[in-house]
Amino acid sequence: MTPAARYQAAIEVLDAILAGQTPEPALRAWGRSARFAGSKDRAAISDHVYDVLRNRGRAAALAGCTVPQTTGRALILGLLRLQGVAVEDVFGQMPYGPSALSSDEAKEHPTPDILSDTPDWLLALLKAEFGPDLEGLLAAMSTRAPVYLRVNTRKTTPEHVIADLAQAGVHAIADPRLATALEVQTGARKITATAAYQAGLIEVQDLSVQMAMAEIPVPQTGRILDYCAGAGGKSLAIAARSDADLTLHDKFPKRMGDVALRAERAGMIYQTRKDEQLDHEVPFDVVLLDVPCSGSGTWRRDPMVRWRMTPETLATLQSEQAQILDRAVALAAPRGLIIYMTCSLLRAENEDAVHALLARHPQFDLLQSRRFDPRNASDGFFFAVLQAK
């Protein structure tokens, strides 16, 4: 495919996303209808789509639109202007590229600041939290997220994994901030096909999550409940450094569909329980809560979250987070730990949620808390460790 044809394909995918599809299914659907596209074409189209979504507000403004009024064509036009790519090298490059610009489309528009990439109501919350640092944070959020691997040190060493991956065409380097973390430089799309991945020597896991999991206190024995387990990534990280008994639960069991295969590869032993079964198995020494949240820390991986969130959905999430924390209180042992986690940058879901719990349940103390973001790790992530008195 020509460069212009790739942009035209991105326009079609963006139109599908604006019509309600999520990015990955929209990209897969386009790929199924375009068997002629090679792997490099698909990768380039995906990059164009995500570049637009991460910079959606500025792309819309540079095309003379507001975010609710945009089309895929307008967003690609705005992206080209934002990136300094010659528009005439794309638009009008027929037969496979987008048609030539109209006189209205050809009009130039001033470049807005990076704050326009965030809805106003969320911007107000972030300004109150980050102040003058907000622009730098949003600039980091506008770039592609790096790919990180966690080395399963029960099975191998980072040095051996780096060498094994290199033979498979994946170039990874050690991250100086954490011994188990490798940053993938090239070949990320080959990871799941490598022998290292199939043998459970590595798992794809963001650096912020890895740093949090390495910092939280995990007993070597006892009983740990991963209450919002999802695909089990955090349990796998715990199992790599602890012999404690692991119990996994999720409100939506289908989310745990990949756990069995991942656990088999990694050598993790665990059990799953429904919520009503947990009351017969209390107490737990550690209750880990990776709660549903706004996902504001993952905007560069899932940029549509930024525009789909509303004040009402945030309020609903806060209520759910409080309910989960209260449930954890009933499950934790005397002197037991509750570890609260979000992939959010918002104080309302992080520090405020923890302080509200302490007010409702003064029998708990806050031992530590920490927040990561792309300026000091990779994604936005928060954790707090609370202990029953």
Side-chain angles (χ1 to χ4, degrees):
M1 296 176 67
T2 65
R6 290 172 173 175
Y7 280 109
Q8 175 58 37
I11 288 172
E12 296 168 13
V13 173
L14 286 165
D15 282 335
I17 293 169
L18 294 173
Q21 291 191 41
T22 51
E24 286 305 314
L27 284 162
R28 287 196 296 269
W30 182 89
R32 286 194 297 269
S33 68
R35 300 294 184 182
F36 56 84
S39 60
K40 290 184 179 179
D41 297 319
R42 295 166 194 263
I45 293 162
S46 177
D47 289 344
H48 295 333
V49 167
Y50 276 95
D51 284 344
V52 162
L53 297 178
R54 283 191 290 263
N55 301 277
R56 186 176 175 183
R58 286 180 294 165
L62 284 168
C65 303
T66 63
V67 168
Q69 297 172 328
T70 49
T71 63
R73 179 180 171 90
L75 288 171
I76 287 295
L77 171 59
L79 178 70
L80 295 173
R81 288 171 170 162
L82 183 63
Q83 294 180 335
V85 177
V87 173
E88 60 273 15
D89 289 345
V90 175
F91 286 84
Q93 297 298 312
M94 304 301 285
Y96 301 113
S99 60
L101 297 180
S102 68
S103 57
D104 282 344
E105 289 176 321
K107 293 177 181 176
E108 297 286 342
H109 301 276
T111 303
D113 63 40
I114 199 166
L115 300 181
S116 65
D117 284 334
T118 303
D120 290 343
W121 74 274
L122 274 173
L123 201 58
L125 296 179
L126 292 171
K127 281 181 177 178
E129 180 64 21
F130 293 97
D133 295 331
L134 180 56
E135 289 196 22
L137 174 64
L138 292 179
M141 285 290 200
S142 72
T143 62
R144 183 189 304 180
V147 176
Y148 278 93
L149 305 174
R150 179 184 56 80
V151 177
N152 183 354
T153 52
R154 281 190 183 270
K155 288 192 167 188
T156 188
T157 65
E159 293 76 18
H160 284 133
V161 168
I162 290 172
D164 290 347
L165 290 175
Q167 292 182 350
V170 179
H171 177 214
I173 60 173
D175 190 289
R177 290 164 288 188
L178 191 63
T180 60
L182 304 180
E183 182 179 359
V184 178
Q185 304 288 292
T186 58
R189 290 180 172 86
K190 302 177 183 177
I191 290 171
T192 57
T194 64
Y197 181 85
Q198 297 295 333
L201 307 185
I202 53 171
E203 283 285 342
V204 178
Q205 191 168 55
D206 180 66
L207 177 64
S208 299
V209 177
Q210 288 193 54
M211 292 174 73
M213 294 305 298
E215 193 167 328
I216 63 173
V218 174
Q220 288 303 302
T221 58
R223 303 176 69 234
I224 298 175
L225 169 63
D226 187 351
Y227 187 75
C228 308
K234 295 171 183 64
S235 285
L236 287 165
I238 290 173
R241 55 183 280 218
S242 171
D243 292 318
D245 292 334
L246 277 169
T247 299
L248 277 62
H249 161 274
D250 199 282
K251 180 180 179 180
F252 301 101
K254 287 185 178 180
R255 292 176 179 170
M256 296 192 292
D258 292 336
V259 171
L261 180 58
R262 298 177 78 186
E264 183 180 2
R265 287 200 305 257
M268 179 179 80
I269 299 172
Y270 71 101
Q271 61 182 359
T272 61
R273 291 290 184 268
K274 296 179 180 179
D275 194 77
E276 60 270 19
Q277 295 174 313
L278 296 175
D279 291 318
H280 303 291
E281 300 196 13
V282 293
F284 292 92
D285 300 296
V286 177
V287 181
L288 178 69
L289 309 173
D290 181 16
V291 299
C293 70
S294 65
S296 52
T298 65
W299 281 349
R300 58 182 180 170
R301 297 181 190 275
D302 190 3
M304 288 298 290
V305 170
R306 188 181 334 203
W307 297 98
R308 288 177 175 162
M309 181 64 56
T310 67
E312 292 75 22
T313 53
L314 178 59
T316 299
L317 284 166
Q318 288 177 266
S319 176
E320 186 175 3
Q321 291 156 7
Q323 291 172 20
I324 292 172
L325 278 164
D326 288 340
R327 176 65 172 140
V329 168
L331 297 170
R335 302 293 297 167
L337 300 178
I338 293 176
I339 300 174
Y340 177 77
M341 293 180 161
T342 78
C343 52
S344 174
L345 295 170
L346 303 178
R347 174 173 285 274
E349 298 183 279
N350 296 336
E351 292 88 350
D352 289 354
V354 171
H355 293 149
L357 173 77
L358 296 175
R360 295 193 304 274
H361 301 282
Q363 72 272 30
F364 279 82
D365 288 323
L366 175 63
L367 299 187
Q368 68 179 117
S369 66
R370 188 174 177 188
R371 182 169 52 196
F372 302 93
D373 66 54
R375 299 168 303 167
N376 57 30
S378 49
D379 286 0
F381 198 79
F382 171 85
F383 78 89
V385 180
L386 304 102
Q387 186 171 40
K389 297 178 182 179

